[in-house]
Amino acid sequence: MDLSELDKDNTGRCRLSSPVPAVCRKEPCVLGVDEAGRGPVLGPMVYAICYCPQSRLADLEALKVADSKTLSENERERLFSKMEEDRDFVGWALDVLSPNLISTSMLGRVKYNLNSLSHDTASGLIQYALDQGVNVTQVFVDTVGLPETYQERLQQRFPDVTVTVKAKADALYPVVSAASICAKVARDQAVKSWQFVEKVQDLDTDYGSGYPNDPKTKAWLRKHVEPVFGFPQFVRFSWRTAQAILEKEAEGVMWEDSAAEEQEGSRKITSYFQSEGLQARPPHRYFQERGLESATAL
Amino acid sequence: WNADESAVEKQRIHVRPATLQDAAPAALHFLPCEVLASRPAPVERFFSPAIRQGADGLQVSFRGRSMRGEEVSVPSGLAGFVMVAEEKEEGLIGKQDFGDSENNGEEQEQEPLERGFDRFMGATGSFSSFTVWGLETVPGPDAKVRGALAWPTLAAAIHAQVPED
């Protein structure tokens, strides 16, 4: 898979896709949606769609695609190249969501949680297929959160296609299995060849699985703490594991939106009994509004 | 305001004039958060390479939070310096060097230096603009720091001699 677009800039979102097979513009198509790398504290999350004409579904099944989790990395690579050989009737597209995009979404002033991010990304990819002229009639999605509400939302957004959202859809529908293989191949390759934005000293690429409970991953996180900046952007700062390590091993940081809450806390009751006369007069509003204070000592 | 001045510990600050001429240009970033420590940080390795030019200004993230930034110039007639104070006793050791005659000595007989009262500072960098970052949005024209930069000009106007008619 050619990830050179991602290597150029991996701080945001990156979309990659195959050309649309001509037959997919004419014949009614099934489309599967799946994701890889949702749980890990390291690296991107990848969302993928895969589609083919309903009439060729048997040919896709004949490739023996299966849930990507039950396949070895080699088998996934092999299946993906077979799908590439079948590009006259199989198409795919994917979104690589960088760890930086995930962190900044989840830690925004208005929190944008991972489920919403996932749902919106999946909708975006289905819309992309439609915009490219793929004649999508049926969509199968591996669920994130409750399948019923997710299905309802997608069905509302795409009233002209039949949407099926199910847990374990990647094991039930070959077109979702195919999507899961695309996603996993891209995620594995992206992690392996990750271009660090930072100039990290003594970079260790033995991350372990990237899952927060993997001792190797935890050791990697601890080793790469930078006291001021925290971690390289390869780390999802919004993960509890990452935050816990920062709390212990990095300097504290107060943001303007977190500070406001604390300052407005109640005054100590004894403060009302203290003579006001001892307190210095606050500076004029002109200076307060500009964050200026007079300094009398260094 | 002068009512409580007696309660405040005061210091006399001396600037090392030579350091102002030697100060190399520095890249400065003004963040919308406070790092609860004062220590060197590898800005050139961790922060600068991550800055991108987006549609709505510069963008970067710090500790997983998104920031938008813009370049702010130091007002004309002013110069920016990064000043570092010397340790309390440093300036007092050895000969008492009051700036090389820069002291336009009219107002003061050179008073002897006092421990704890006299402090020295020198410039470690100079700048004519810096990057102001806002949490998720560009700080914009209403940013506090822009207002603060307008004060020196106003102060000069207020304190200038008014010609008598």
Side-chain angles (χ1 to χ4, degrees):
Chain A
M1 197 179 285
D2 178 15
L3 294 183
S4 53
E5 271 307 301
L6 177 71
D7 293 342
K8 268 187 239 158
D9 187 10
N10 60 24
T11 65
R13 183 191 287 264
C14 177
R15 178 165 294 166
L16 303 168
S17 60
S18 72
V20 178
V23 65
C24 293
R25 293 205 166 93
K26 287 187 215 106
E27 288 190 38
C29 289
V30 269
L31 181 149
V33 184
D34 200 11
E35 129 285 314
R38 190 178 158 77
V41 61
L42 299 178
M45 175 166 80
V46 179
Y47 252 84
I49 56 168
C50 188
Y51 52 88
C52 75
Q54 253 156 358
S55 60
R56 306 294 299 270
L57 207 48
D59 296 321
L60 185 66
E61 264 174 279
L63 294 180
K64 297 257 181 317
V65 291
D67 170 11
S68 68
K69 289 183 215 75
T70 66
L71 301 168
S72 71
E73 195 171 338
N74 279 340
E75 285 171 311
R76 288 193 297 261
E77 301 265 1
R78 186 183 57 82
L79 284 168
F80 181 72
S81 42
K82 279 199 151 183
M83 282 160 54
E84 291 273 83
E85 283 166 28
D86 287 336
R87 63 170 72 94
D88 58 319
F89 72 96
V90 180
W92 55 268
L94 50 85
D95 267 359
V96 181
L97 309 188
S98 71
N100 186 53
L101 179 83
I102 296 170
S103 304
T104 53
S105 300
M106 293 174 72
L107 298 176
R109 275 182 197 272
V110 180
K111 306 275 171 286
Y112 183 31
N113 68 37
L114 198 63
N115 278 7
S116 306
L117 184 61
S118 301
H119 291 172
D120 294 345
T121 302
S123 307
L125 281 166
I126 298 169
Q127 188 61 53
Y128 175 72
L130 293 169
D131 293 345
Q132 297 285 100
V134 179
N135 182 12
V136 182
T137 55
Q138 265 189 302
V139 169
F140 295 95
V141 186
D142 195 25
T143 197
V144 166
L146 291 174
E148 295 81 12
T149 46
Y150 190 14
Q151 175 161 328
E152 206 176 303
R153 277 178 59 178
L154 283 174
Q155 190 62 75
Q156 247 171 16
R157 165 103 196 250
F158 303 104
D160 299 331
V161 303
T162 315
V163 180
T164 308
V165 178
K166 271 222 173 99
K168 306 225 168 23
D170 51 345
L172 294 171
Y173 307 102
V175 75
V176 181
S177 308
S180 83
I181 289 167
C182 292
K184 191 79 168 103
V185 166
R187 150 89 192 170
D188 286 348
Q189 203 179 314
V191 168
K192 232 184 249 169
S193 64
W194 190 258
Q195 303 292 313
F196 280 76
V197 175
E198 302 82 3
K199 298 186 185 82
V200 184
Q201 285 165 346
D202 302 322
L203 179 66
D204 177 357
T205 48
D206 193 7
Y207 322 119
S209 64
Y211 279 92
N213 54 3
D214 183 339
K216 251 188 177 172
T217 300
K218 271 194 190 163
W220 188 92
L221 286 170
R222 280 211 192 83
K223 187 184 161 192
H224 291 87
V225 173
E226 202 296 311
V228 174
F229 294 99
F231 294 112
Q233 282 187 10
F234 183 57
V235 176
R236 300 181 190 174
F237 282 78
S238 44
W239 256 236
R240 204 173 302 141
T241 316
Q243 303 227 312
I245 291 174
L246 288 188
E247 263 165 44
K248 266 196 230 137
E249 304 188 22
E251 303 293 356
V253 169
M254 283 286 272
W255 291 87
E256 50 185 28
D257 59 343
S258 59
E261 284 162 37
E262 286 189 23
Q263 277 166 10
E264 277 165 37
S266 53
R267 275 171 77 185
K268 265 192 186 167
I269 194 155
T270 49
S271 72
Y272 293 96
F273 298 98
Q274 272 162 10
S275 155
E276 296 280 335
L278 287 175
Q279 288 167 3
R281 189 146 48 95
H284 188 276
R285 199 162 53 94
Y286 176 90
F287 298 103
Q288 285 188 44
E289 282 169 357
R290 285 158 183 77
L292 290 169
E293 291 169 30
S294 58
T296 54
L298 289 179
Chain B
W1 50 83
N2 36 35
D4 301 298
E5 274 190 10
S6 57
V8 181
E9 184 204 353
K10 278 193 150 185
Q11 287 182 339
R12 182 163 54 194
I13 311 297
H14 307 276
V15 174
R16 304 259 184 222
T19 63
L20 297 180
Q21 280 142 37
D22 301 342
L28 263 63
H29 298 278
F30 193 69
L31 304 192
C33 64
E34 190 185 349
V35 179
L36 306 175
S38 183
R39 61 185 293 165
V43 178
E44 288 307 317
R45 288 196 295 114
F46 264 76
F47 192 77
S48 313
I51 299 174
R52 300 282 179 274
Q53 179 70 54
D56 51 347
L58 299 168
Q59 53 190 64
V60 77
S61 68
F62 178 67
R63 294 279 184 112
R65 301 204 73 183
S66 168
M67 305 194 298
R68 294 281 181 279
E70 57 190 350
E71 208 58 24
V72 171
S73 299
V74 172
S76 64
L78 296 173
F81 290 101
V82 180
M83 305 299 291
V84 173
E86 295 170 8
E87 285 304 308
K88 272 200 168 155
E89 312 305 333
E90 254 177 83
L92 304 172
I93 299 164
K95 65 173 179 142
Q96 303 188 341
D97 56 339
F98 264 111
D100 340 13
S101 77
E102 289 291 318
N103 239 356
N104 52 352
E106 43 170 75
E107 44 172 323
Q108 59 194 102
E109 304 268 276
Q110 292 195 350
E111 288 173 41
L113 300 180
E114 275 174 49
R115 225 161 247 276
F117 178 61
D118 287 287
R119 296 287 302 275
F120 287 83
M121 63 199 296
T124 57
S126 66
F127 59 97
S128 57
S129 74
F130 55 101
T131 313
V132 180
W133 295 96
L135 181 57
E136 292 171 20
T137 48
V138 177
D142 295 334
K144 265 189 178 184
V145 64
R146 284 189 191 275
L149 288 173
W151 167 239
T153 316
L154 180 60
I158 293 172
H159 295 292
Q161 284 285 336
V162 179
E164 285 176 52
D165 287 332

